[in-house]
Amino acid sequence: MKVAVIGLGFRLGYLGRVFREIDPSFEIVGYVDPAPAGMATLQENGISPGRVYETPEALLAGETFDLLMIGSPNHMHLDHIRLGLEAGLTVFTEKPIVTTVEESYALATLLNKYGHDQLLVGLVLRYSPLYRDLRKAQDEGLLGNIVSIEASEHIQPYHGAFFMRDWRRYGHYAGGFMLEKCCHDLDLYNGVVGARPRFVASFGGRKSFTPENSPEHDGINDLEVYHRKPSGWQGSDKVFDSDGDIIDYQTAIVEYENGVSMTFHTNLNVPDEFRRFCVIGSKGMAEGDFVRGFMDVHNARTNEKVVANTYQTPSATSHHYGADEQMAEDVIAFVKTGAKQPVSAINALEAGILALTMDEARLTRKVVDLKPVWEKFDDCLHGPADSSARVRSA
């Protein structure tokens, strides 16, 4: 399988290795990136990045390939996706798919014009064994009707410090932390609920990565942990005095169109990190943690534990709890046979709009009603006259 790359960052460098392991015919024919942070990973694994091009337009004109992979900074995604779709290409883009609600409308319009299936998205947690087992338990009726969800994504200080130092610290590049990092999780729970979010409230800010909390104030000069994860484009050494506008904690409350409610919490300074959920239904409860590797399901009537699963990451070099390998298999299968994917660009846009609305609610201190947003989104996605097509893909 031949691919071209726009934005050869750390993520696509890693995925290059994963794709090659799954498909030995995987080949990068060319790339565009003035400072390719993922180059070292490719070279370490004997993968050529192909020819370098100055612009995406030159790359598309100069090469023939099966898949265009986009790993550029988030605020560039829309333009790069547009180029691929207009050229009639199959496009894979890293999450988040776009960075504003207005860009979501613009991409929905492009999908209406060029087709919903030409754009694949790296919302990789949909491919994880744990999430697939959660949906299996739901499909088997072990949970009954979903009533409420409590969920979180917490990351360790070394990872939080990375966000304070990387280009992702700026909202105009990343779209905000909830979008950049937590869109994975929001997509998962949107899928479990099977409806769109309607009302959103949120609170948060920055309290941990602030000047007064620098370890240097306590006479600690070993700050290696806060620089362990390298930053790329627009990188900085500043951690506790970051010039970014990123938050380091946030809590949100969501009510979905079908009445299901969810609380979601994120924090960037958690020493013993976890990424867990508790999905409570009318007949049972599913509780799990992606980091700690378990999922239990209990029957609400008997309290019996009817599912007790544990999970292990396939290898020390595997990311996302083994989900990247399954995602690579599925993307390759789509390119070669058109096989159905577990997550769509529409799912990604819906999760992104929820994340962006959480930030709107946080900044305005108001409950946000998403009804007018979905009405405009559907007009863009299906056309104003095609109201019968407005069916959400869970």
Side-chain angles (χ1 to χ4, degrees):
M1 184 175 79
K2 294 183 177 181
V3 307
V5 172
I6 300 175
L8 183 53
F10 291 119
R11 176 64 179 161
L12 287 196
Y14 168 75
L15 286 183
R17 178 182 68 77
V18 175
F19 273 71
R20 172 65 66 85
E21 289 177 353
I22 301 298
D23 181 3
S25 73
F26 176 85
E27 176 188 358
I28 301 175
V29 297
Y31 74 95
V32 179
D33 194 321
M39 180 70 75
T41 302
L42 293 182
Q43 292 174 338
E44 289 168 5
N45 290 277
I47 302 173
S48 169
R51 286 178 284 273
V52 59
Y53 288 84
E54 292 294 323
T55 66
E57 292 82 359
L59 172 65
L60 270 56
E63 300 291 346
T64 300
F65 46 89
D66 304 301
L67 180 68
L68 176 64
M69 298 186 76
I70 297 173
S72 50
N74 304 345
H75 69 294
M76 301 179 181
H77 285 182
L78 179 61
D79 287 341
H80 294 158
I81 291 168
R82 180 186 289 110
L83 285 172
L85 294 178
E86 289 177 346
L89 300 170
T90 300
V91 180
F92 171 92
T93 183
E94 260 305 310
K95 60 79 194 168
I97 200 163
V98 290
T99 59
T100 68
V101 172
E102 289 300 323
E103 286 184 349
S104 300
Y105 296 148
L107 183 53
T109 301
L110 287 172
L111 295 178
N112 180 40
K113 182 175 182 179
Y114 295 104
H116 298 181
D117 296 331
Q118 291 305 110
L119 178 60
L120 312 177
V121 62
L123 280 173
V124 67
L125 288 192
R126 283 257 189 161
Y127 301 84
S128 65
L130 193 162
Y131 184 68
R132 292 186 176 204
D133 286 347
L134 171 61
R135 296 306 303 270
K136 180 174 181 287
Q138 184 180 8
D139 292 342
E140 291 175 350
L142 299 182
L143 306 180
N145 296 323
I146 305 303
V147 177
S148 60
I149 298 174
E150 178 183 287
S152 61
E153 182 184 9
H154 297 157
I155 63 176
Q156 291 187 31
Y158 86 91
H159 202 170
F162 161 78
F163 281 98
M164 295 297 142
R165 295 170 20 247
D166 192 63
W167 58 263
R168 294 166 175 84
R169 68 190 185 274
Y170 299 124
H172 59 277
Y173 290 148
F177 182 81
M178 195 65 81
L179 177 70
E180 160 61 26
K181 190 71 172 68
C182 301
C183 63
H184 281 306
D185 306 77
L186 301 179
D187 169 62
L188 297 188
Y189 307 122
N190 283 354
V192 168
V193 173
R196 285 171 168 170
R198 173 66 192 273
F199 297 104
V200 181
S202 186
F203 305 92
R206 192 191 305 179
K207 282 184 172 290
S208 294
F209 291 102
T210 57
E212 60 270 23
N213 289 325
S214 174
E216 294 172 311
H217 291 312
D218 299 322
I220 299 172
N221 296 314
D222 181 7
L223 304 180
E224 181 274 335
V225 64
Y226 302 112
H227 299 271
R228 185 176 300 166
K229 187 174 174 66
S231 58
W233 177 65
Q234 294 284 321
S236 168
D237 289 332
K238 295 184 176 182
V239 177
F240 293 90
D241 53 349
S242 170
D243 63 346
D245 52 14
I246 192 172
I247 56 93
D248 62 23
Y249 74 98
Q250 189 168 346
T251 304
I253 307 171
V254 182
E255 183 178 72
Y256 286 85
E257 290 176 335
N258 59 1
V260 173
S261 66
M262 177 176 73
T263 60
F264 187 83
H265 178 230
T266 188
N267 191 295
L268 284 65
N269 192 45
V270 179
D272 188 11
E273 71 180 9
F274 51 92
R275 193 173 198 170
R276 66 190 180 198
F277 60 82
C278 184
V279 177
I280 303 171
S282 58
K283 296 182 179 180
M285 177 182 84
E287 183 179 8
D289 191 317
F290 290 93
V291 174
R292 298 173 184 179
F294 78 91
M295 186 187 76
D296 297 333
V297 178
H298 284 81
N299 181 285
R301 180 175 59 84
T302 65
N303 292 347
E304 178 188 2
K305 185 185 290 188
V306 294
V307 174
N309 292 350
T310 58
Y311 305 87
Q312 292 184 336
T313 300
S315 71
T317 58
S318 180
H319 298 178
H320 294 110
Y321 330 109
D324 283 309
E325 291 80 0
Q326 186 60 57
M327 183 183 75
E329 285 188 20
D330 284 13
V331 170
I332 291 167
F334 178 86
V335 172
K336 293 185 175 181
T337 68
K340 183 175 175 59
Q341 302 293 290
V343 62
S344 70
I346 299 172
N347 297 145
L349 286 168
E350 290 173 339
I353 287 172
L354 174 55
L356 290 163
T357 304
M358 287 176 174
D359 276 336
E360 179 186 351
R362 175 177 63 85
L363 292 168
T364 62
R365 294 186 175 273
K366 294 180 179 179
V367 176
V368 178
D369 182 355
L370 276 164
K371 182 180 179 181
V373 175
W374 296 131
E375 289 175 347
K376 184 171 181 178
F377 179 79
D378 284 332
D379 284 346
C380 295
L381 187 61
H382 302 296
D386 191 11
S387 59
S388 63
R390 295 176 182 176
V391 177
R392 185 185 181 279
S393 175

